[in-house]
Amino acid sequence: MDDAGEIHAFGRSLRRESSVWSRGGEELFSRSSRDEDDEEALRWAALEKLPTYDRARTAVLAMPEGELKEVNVEKLGAQEKHALLQRIAWVGDDHERFLSKFKDRVDRVGIQLPTIEVRYDNLNVEAEAYVGSRGLPTILNTYANVLEGLANALHLTQNKKRKISILHNVSGIIKPHRMTLLLGPPGAGKTSLLLALAGTLPSSLKMSGDIIYNGHTMDEFVPRRSAAYVSQHDLHMAELTVRETVNFSAKCQGIGHRFDLLMELSRREKEENIKPDPEIDIYLKAAATGEQKAEVVTNHILK
């Protein structure tokens, strides 16, 4: 009975000590997380006091050692650039999560991103071409076409080319926020339709009909600033790597509307006292300002 009593008392003491350790551990970890949250809250409070111009270039960056650092995204050191790329690496790993967070941030302040609706009505595309054996790309036909073209220009002979209808009374609507699949057999006019909508149809083809961008005709709207046709035959410089090619394109394109969007986001969030998501905030600031903006976009695309 004495041994049983000692075992029972020993078990009671172990349970008591384990409960003390568990409570102490919970308090320890909760205190640590509270300290980190308090530190981050202080950092954000300091950022909120900055003017909009400075706030758009300042972000809270988590360093590899766990330290929270207030940095200027336009003037980053080597270690800060490395920490920044590590912080935003998740963007490429979980692109859907990034887009969801970005949409939530924009929707919270009531910003509507620009969209484009394309309508085409009774679109016709015609071409003049030789038919039959004359249309074959032989050396004899090539010289004959050149000579006949000169004679036609001087009105010495009649034009033997025939009109071929590529698109005939095509109508449709391309809605924003949608992906449109265009199907058709070879020679159906898919490429001609896309070139016409992008405003890059060759001058040798004659087009009629209406193409409207957000209610504006092609004479009032510049489609090349909003649409592009990417050929299935890619042309690249053989001396450049994939990263260098994408980085060169990113530098040529500039920042577009990202900086204006960032400034408007910062202004509205300050007015409504909204704290943005740290990962989205530092990504947008890094992609819109600073020397590393092209590198940030390049890493995102390569991911």
Side-chain angles (χ1 to χ4, degrees):
M1 296 296 295
D2 294 339
D3 293 339
E6 291 178 0
I7 292 175
H8 182 69
F10 181 68
R12 256 201 330 264
S13 64
L14 280 179
R15 286 194 297 271
R16 187 167 54 251
E17 291 179 4
S18 64
S19 63
V20 172
W21 275 106
S22 63
R23 287 197 303 271
E26 291 176 359
E27 292 176 358
L28 177 63
F29 288 116
S30 61
R31 190 183 307 117
S32 176
S33 61
R34 283 199 303 271
D35 292 342
E36 292 179 359
D37 294 340
D38 292 343
E39 181 181 359
E40 187 173 0
L42 291 175
R43 297 282 187 181
W44 282 108
L47 286 181
E48 289 297 321
K49 297 179 180 179
L50 296 176
T52 303
Y53 183 86
D54 296 332
R55 193 169 66 257
R57 290 161 174 78
T58 309
V60 176
L61 178 62
M63 302 300 290
E65 301 82 9
E67 174 190 2
L68 292 177
K69 191 174 183 180
E70 185 178 318
V71 297
N72 185 343
V73 294
E74 287 188 330
K75 301 175 182 179
L76 295 177
Q79 293 182 350
E80 294 172 347
K81 286 184 178 181
H82 180 68
L84 171 63
L85 294 178
Q86 284 186 333
R87 182 74 182 270
I88 64 177
W90 66 271
V91 172
D93 297 333
D94 194 350
H95 191 62
E96 182 180 0
R97 174 168 166 252
F98 166 74
L99 292 178
S100 298
K101 284 192 171 186
F102 176 74
K103 184 178 184 300
D104 293 340
R105 181 179 181 183
V106 173
D107 291 343
R108 275 191 301 176
V109 294
I111 294 180
Q112 293 184 353
L113 297 179
T115 58
I116 295 178
E117 181 186 82
V118 183
R119 294 174 176 261
Y120 49 99
D121 186 34
N122 296 328
L123 185 63
N124 297 277
V125 176
E126 293 181 346
E128 291 185 350
Y130 294 102
V131 297
S133 60
R134 187 63 186 278
L136 298 176
T138 62
I139 296 178
L140 182 60
N141 285 340
T142 300
Y143 283 107
N145 294 341
V146 173
L147 294 176
E148 186 173 321
L150 293 176
N152 292 336
L154 297 175
H155 302 285
L156 299 178
T157 60
Q158 293 182 353
N159 189 0
K160 296 181 180 180
K161 292 182 178 180
R162 294 185 181 179
K163 291 185 178 181
I164 300 176
S165 178
I166 301 176
L167 297 176
H168 180 67
N169 289 339
V170 179
S171 302
I173 303 175
I174 299 179
K175 294 284 188 179
H177 304 296
R178 295 291 186 270
M179 180 178 292
T180 302
L181 177 63
L182 181 61
L183 295 176
K190 301 184 297 297
T191 300
S192 299
L193 174 60
L194 295 177
L195 289 174
L197 297 181
T200 57
L201 198 68
S203 58
S204 58
L205 301 180
K206 296 182 180 180
M207 186 189 72
S208 62
D210 298 324
I211 298 178
I212 301 175
Y213 278 75
N214 282 354
H216 299 278
T217 61
M218 300 287 276
D219 298 332
E220 304 170 335
F221 194 87
V222 184
R224 294 191 179 186
R225 294 185 178 181
S226 305
Y229 172 76
V230 181
S231 174
Q232 57 185 337
H233 302 291
D234 294 333
L235 299 177
H236 300 294
M237 295 187 66
E239 294 79 7
L240 299 181
T241 64
V242 176
R243 176 178 291 275
E244 290 171 342
T245 301
V246 177
N247 194 40
F248 176 76
S249 299
K251 290 182 178 180
C252 289
Q253 290 178 352
I255 59 174
H257 64 277
R258 289 197 297 267
F259 182 75
D260 295 334
L261 174 62
L262 176 63
M263 295 293 289
E264 185 65 18
L265 271 173
S266 300
R267 185 184 65 82
R268 294 194 183 189
E269 287 174 344
K270 183 176 181 180
E271 291 177 354
E272 300 181 18
N273 195 22
I274 296 176
K275 175 188 172 184
D277 183 271
E279 294 172 332
I280 295 293
D281 183 70
I282 195 169
Y283 176 81
L284 290 181
K285 291 178 178 178
T289 60
E291 299 178 353
Q292 79 294 329
K293 56 179 177 289
E295 184 178 358
V296 170
V297 176
T298 300
N299 287 324
H300 184 190
I301 294 176
L302 291 182
K303 280 282 188 178

